Amino acid sequence: MVRSGEEAISARRAADGAAPAHDRERFMQGEPVVGGVRASILNSWQRCRSLGLSPDQTELPFQEDFDADGRLVRAATPVVDRLQRRFAGSSMNISVADAHGTVLLRRFGEASMIRSLPAIQSVPGFVFAEQVAGTNGIGLALADRRLIQVHGAEHFAERSQASACRALPVHDPLNGSVEGVLCLGYPRSAEDPALATVIRKAAEAIEGRLLGQSSARERALLRAYQDASAIGAAAALGRTVALDELSRELRPGDGAVLKQKATELLSRGQRAAVDVALSDGRRVTLVSRLMTSPSGVEGMAVEAVLPDPGPGTRHPLTAPDPAHRLFGSRAGHLAVPAGASSSSAAPPFGHPPVTTPSDGADRADDAGEVRADTSAPARGLVLVGEPEVAKYALAARRRLELLSEASARIGTTLDVRRTAGELAETAVPRLADFVTIDLCEAVVRGDEPTDPRSDLLRTVVHGIRDDLPFSPVGKRIDFQPTTPQLRSLSTGQAVLEPDLKAAVGWLAQDPEHSDRLLTHVHSLITVPLTARGVVLGVASFYRAQDPAPFGDDDRALALELGTRAALSIDNARRYTHERTMVLALQRSLLPRGLPDQDAVEVAHRYLPAESGVGGDWYDVIPLSGTRIGLFVGDVVGHGMHSAATMGRLRTAARSFAELDFPPDEVLTHLDNLVVRLDREEGKDDSSADGVGIIGATCLYAVYDPTSQRCSMARAGHPPPALVRPDGTVSLLDLPAGPPLGLGGLPFETADVDVPEHSRLVLYTDGLIEDRDRDIDVALGHLREALAHPDHTPEDTCQAVLDTVAPAHPCDDIALLVARTHALDPRRIATWEMPADPARVPEVRAAATRQLADWGLDEVAFAAELLLSELVTNAVRHGTGPIRVRLLYDRSLICEVSDTSNTAPHLRRAAATDEGGRGLFLVAQLAQSWGTRHIPEGKVIWAECFLDTP
């Protein structure tokens, strides 16, 4: 028979480890292992494999911030030192780890052993928990919470195959929770059954020293509980359970719930019972009973009582280790005199453990585990202590829980008002019943606060009810010099007014208002909201329901809450300030107005993202020949850098467009520009914090009202939508093109027929891309919003934002809607002629007649001269045939095209030159002039002002 809590190990396994090695290989290959591996080892292997651990893994985590002088270290150090002396000269290594598997102490029987270990394992701090190190002594002891042995190939990791170890959890004597693990490691060939006794006695000594670190009153109460329980020990054998052993069968969090409920029960100071429901539906009853130590210390013990599973049935939660059956811990067996010091609390190694007489109910099964008769409900010690101490502990824990919740709950957004509201919601009702928060008006706007004593705005009012007469949100607040709020703002300290009826300064602020509030609230704490040395405002905490006034502990808690919240509020203020500046920059770089033109009717929207302003932009650019250019682009990223980059790209795009490049060439020039900018940013580490341009997308469309055709090209941008006059919606299948900034990749222009009164809809990806919505669903919504032929561009913009845009956009949205118009064919005149100077007078005469028909006699002379110069220039320097076109729109446009690609240049003619003055004359007569290239050659155009529309 083996002692309870251990599993029998065959002589063959102990001798050479051949059997576990063979079984391990089969397991690693995915073959079934039946009967050859102990259940605890097999379960651990399976957990390791499910965690994705590798047998040849060598790296272990290292914790640099472990407590090198903690409670467990102080208790274990003398015991471990004695073990080191006992095993001096041997290959034994001794380790003590905490409850998370982090090794706190490390000793070696022979110093030379250190050289054979990885550097990280030679000093405390490395982690040997099962979930990171695989099957090993420390990890398995924490998982199974009992004395275990891991031998040779039973280790999951290859690095430990030549070793064996025994490990035993070390418990807190007062509540049975695992404080850590004691582990003895040695070569596989040095197995000795006597090590089980050694490690048990050493663990008992550590637990005795842990008990010695408790107060004399706590030790006296534990002794009184032991004495009271000793009478029924024989009858209770096999029917008691410790909280820690119970936790082995619980789901995560259930053990903490039981401890919390036990502390609450202890703090009441009277006999009581509470039924605790576990997450899996089972129930545990916690019972508290009064007791007094021989020295007169009055306290209470809280026991866990489990339901009766039925006669002859082994209770599933009964602890298998007899060392935990009576009092939840081996330390429950220690004879520690009341008032003993920590140095005298640990028994010597030779001190035999206290045994409990058996009533014959115990028996061993085939695996060597002791079975128990559990016909009566199982019970065991959970907590022992004094009610007043428990009250303080409970209050301290609740304060820590509130501060922990505040850390997670306050500051979830970068909105000043919302962050202030989160402070109030966290404090109500656990600290206060009502909270008001007054912030400087400048802080709410995102600016630096000026004078917090005279620039306060009521920002938050929150409480358990909504009908109290506090000043409403949005009202300016002027506190009098004697009020607690102004004292807080002046001194930077929290001010406590335990009794508002006696708070003269508070009453004097607004007597009538104060009288009404006094019927509901009775105690007040005011806290200045200060961050980085700047006062942002003040928070007021009121108590109403709890008859006890606020105390100093409440004031300290409120101040801590206010300090944490103030930092989050200041972060939100700084973000708001930066976002406001970026948004102002962004809007200043976008078009401030639309150009006067008749080709399209345009509406536009720009919606910044909630999380930060990006680089989305749009533009509308009048081009020669009554054409119009439409741009929509998106610079990757957010913030000032993206907004500034957007401005540079928009300026460049406008310049390239006004040079009358076709869409694909415009995108090529923009692509080259982004590559150069990215290269420059990469060289200049001081620019924009060293953040280079990642890239951009762009869509450029040129609509010609004379032909009702649109030429488009896109660079990684979402395709535009075309809404025809009958309401039919189509997403134009344009060649995608790469995003700007990749360099060297081609773009392609596509021509689309656009009937008059159609709507072209250009947008950025922020409109349709959302983490909570599929893009196909968004495009479907876009089609539905556009399928209204009677909508104006303004109506279309609003409908699209209302139905398609995300409620909380995480990216900017730029939207451009253009309804197309066609130039009346009666306002277009065209002539074709060969490259013959004799035909110039004919064209000039025909143009004069056409201008007379249009009623443009006042510009006929200038137009005749312009046409004469342009046609003559084409005849002399171009190639035929020559095409002449007059366009009557807001201005008169004269165009002469030929098949030559050579472009004319304006130059200053010398006094002796016979030519070179024609273009100078054109520039003087025309409002503007220029050249654009077409697939068949070039077009030289000139535009004249008209006095009449």
Side-chain angles (χ1 to χ4, degrees), residues 171-468:
H171 295 77
D172 186 318
L174 291 179
N175 58 30
S177 62
V178 171
E179 288 289 308
V181 174
L182 173 64
C183 181
L184 302 180
Y186 43 88
R188 191 173 63 188
S189 59
E191 176 60 47
D192 185 353
L195 291 176
T197 302
V198 173
I199 196 170
R200 285 183 182 277
K201 291 181 179 179
E204 289 172 0
I206 295 174
E207 290 175 344
R209 294 184 61 83
L210 284 173
L211 180 63
Q213 293 180 20
S214 304
S215 68
R217 301 172 70 91
E218 289 175 323
R219 296 197 299 272
L221 289 174
L222 177 61
R223 180 66 184 188
Y225 176 80
Q226 295 172 351
D227 293 342
S229 301
I231 299 174
L237 183 61
R239 295 185 287 103
T240 58
V241 62
L243 176 60
D244 181 65
E245 296 297 337
L246 174 63
S247 298
R248 293 173 53 192
E249 305 291 339
L250 300 180
R251 294 181 178 179
D254 282 345
V257 171
L258 286 179
K259 285 186 178 181
Q260 179 179 352
K261 294 296 183 182
T263 305
E264 294 175 358
L265 203 59
L266 183 62
S267 66
R268 298 178 187 176
Q270 57 186 4
R271 292 178 58 88
V274 61
D275 198 23
V276 182
L278 305 181
S279 60
D280 58 3
R282 293 178 294 176
R283 309 188 78 82
V284 174
T285 301
L286 296 179
V287 179
S288 63
R289 58 189 177 92
L290 299 169
M291 60 185 187
T292 305
S293 71
S295 60
V297 178
E298 295 183 352
M300 302 196 72
V302 179
E303 296 175 304
V305 181
L306 303 178
D308 183 5
T313 304
R314 181 181 181 273
H315 202 292
L317 300 182
T318 301
D321 190 344
H324 291 76
R325 295 186 181 220
L326 284 177
F327 312 115
S329 168
R330 279 182 304 279
H333 300 281
L334 300 175
V336 182
S341 65
S342 61
S343 61
S344 63
F349 276 33
H351 181 77
V354 178
T355 58
T356 304
S358 173
D359 60 357
D362 290 344
R363 58 187 181 275
D365 60 11
D366 293 338
E369 183 179 5
V370 176
R371 296 289 184 176
D373 179 7
T374 55
S375 57
R379 61 191 300 131
L381 178 65
V382 177
L383 284 179
V384 61
E386 299 177 78
E388 288 300 318
V389 176
K391 288 180 182 179
Y392 285 115
L394 189 62
R397 186 179 66 208
R398 287 175 175 171
R399 288 186 173 92
L400 289 175
E401 289 174 351
L402 181 58
L403 290 175
S404 176
E405 179 182 337
S407 298
R409 189 171 179 180
I410 300 175
T412 58
T413 68
L414 288 171
D415 180 85
V416 173
R417 295 178 184 271
R418 180 61 197 140
T419 304
E422 289 169 344
L423 167 61
E425 292 167 2
T426 302
V428 175
R430 296 169 65 178
L431 173 62
D433 297 313
F434 299 94
V435 175
T436 63
I437 298 177
D438 307 307
L439 297 177
C440 294
E441 191 171 359
V443 172
V444 178
R445 295 194 306 266
D447 298 330
E448 288 284 345
T450 52
D451 184 1
R453 294 171 296 183
S454 60
D455 186 29
L456 292 174
L457 189 71
R458 178 59 50 91
T459 309
V460 173
V461 176
H462 182 70
I464 57 177
R465 291 164 46 192
D466 297 330
D467 57 347
L468 263 65

Side-chain angles (χ1 to χ4, degrees), residues 718-792:
L722 175 61
V723 187
R724 299 185 183 276
D726 60 358
T728 303
V729 181
S730 59
L731 295 176
L732 300 180
D733 187 17
L734 305 180
L740 301 177
L742 298 184
L745 298 176
F747 300 96
E748 186 176 350
T749 297
D751 293 328
V752 180
D753 291 324
V754 181
E756 186 177 11
H757 304 310
S758 297
R759 281 169 290 160
L760 281 169
V761 181
L762 287 66
Y763 51 89
T764 55
D765 57 3
L767 178 67
I768 58 175
E769 292 183 1
D770 183 40
R771 67 189 65 173
D772 300 323
R773 180 181 59 180
D774 188 85
I775 190 171
D776 292 332
V777 175
L779 291 174
H781 293 164
L782 178 60
R783 291 177 182 271
E784 294 174 2
L786 296 177
H788 298 280
D790 57 332
H791 277 186
T792 66

Side-chain angles (χ1 to χ4, degrees), residues 58-86:
T58 58
E59 295 294 329
L60 292 174
F62 188 82
Q63 299 289 342
E64 296 182 352
D65 57 348
F66 72 94
D67 190 356
D69 191 36
R71 182 168 176 256
L72 179 59
V73 173
R74 296 196 307 273
T77 297
V79 179
V80 172
D81 289 342
R82 290 201 295 271
L83 285 173
Q84 183 181 25
R85 290 194 294 271
R86 173 170 179 165

Side-chain angles (χ1 to χ4, degrees), residues 560-866:
E560 180 66 22
L561 283 176
T563 301
R564 297 190 181 195
L567 188 60
S568 297
I569 292 173
D570 191 51
N571 289 338
R573 179 195 66 79
R574 290 168 178 261
Y575 169 78
T576 301
H577 180 67
E578 180 179 351
R579 186 175 187 273
T580 301
M581 291 193 301
V582 174
L583 186 57
L585 173 63
Q586 173 87 343
R587 294 193 183 280
S588 69
L589 296 174
L590 290 174
R592 299 195 177 186
L594 297 177
D596 293 331
Q597 46 80 36
D598 295 327
V600 292
E601 179 186 352
V602 179
H604 54 85
R605 294 289 190 277
Y606 170 73
L607 185 64
E610 287 190 351
S611 58
V613 179
D616 290 18
W617 57 281
Y618 60 88
D619 208 346
V620 179
I621 305 171
L623 302 175
S624 65
T626 70
R627 298 172 305 137
I628 196 76
L630 304 174
F631 268 111
V632 167
D634 182 5
V635 176
V636 176
H638 296 85
M640 189 76 72
H641 184 256
S642 294
T645 302
M646 178 275 292
R648 300 169 77 177
L649 283 184
R650 176 177 170 255
T651 301
R654 191 177 189 93
S655 300
F656 295 143
E658 290 178 343
L659 290 174
D660 271 326
F661 291 137
D664 57 336
E665 291 189 25
V666 169
L667 295 185
T668 299
H669 288 297
L670 287 176
D671 181 55
N672 294 334
L673 173 64
V674 172
V675 171
R676 290 196 302 272
L677 291 176
D678 199 5
R679 190 180 301 118
E680 292 172 4
E681 293 289 347
K683 292 180 179 179
D684 184 7
D685 293 335
S686 64
S687 175
D689 298 327
V691 180
I693 302 171
I694 299 175
T697 65
C698 185
L699 171 64
Y700 179 40
V702 177
Y703 172 68
D704 188 348
T706 64
S707 63
Q708 299 178 46
R709 290 181 65 81
C710 188
S711 299
M712 307 183 202
R714 63 183 177 124
H717 203 82
L722 175 61
V723 187
R724 299 185 183 276
D726 60 358
T728 303
V729 181
S730 59
L731 295 176
L732 300 180
D733 187 17
L734 305 180
L740 301 177
L742 298 184
L745 298 176
F747 300 96
E748 186 176 350
T749 297
D751 293 328
V752 180
D753 291 324
V754 181
E756 186 177 11
H757 304 310
S758 297
R759 281 169 290 160
L760 281 169
V761 181
L762 287 66
Y763 51 89
T764 55
D765 57 3
L767 178 67
I768 58 175
E769 292 183 1
D770 183 40
R771 67 189 65 173
D772 300 323
R773 180 181 59 180
D774 188 85
I775 190 171
D776 292 332
V777 175
L779 291 174
H781 293 164
L782 178 60
R783 291 177 182 271
E784 294 174 2
L786 296 177
H788 298 280
D790 57 332
H791 277 186
T792 66
E794 286 289 342
D795 296 336
T796 302
C797 281
Q798 195 59 47
V800 168
L801 291 184
D802 290 342
T803 61
V804 185
H808 303 283
C810 58
D811 195 6
D812 289 18
I813 297 174
L815 177 64
L816 190 65
V817 178
R819 182 161 62 182
T820 63
H821 299 291
L823 185 61
D824 190 341
R826 294 173 298 180
R827 293 195 169 199
I828 304 174
T830 305
W831 301 273
E832 290 190 5
M833 58 172 284
D836 183 0
R839 301 293 297 274
V840 175
E842 298 178 10
V843 174
R844 190 167 56 235
T848 302
R849 290 193 297 271
Q850 183 63 64
L851 292 176
D853 292 341
W854 285 341
L856 301 179
D857 296 329
E858 72 278 6
V859 297
F861 177 74
E864 183 179 356
L865 287 178
L866 286 173

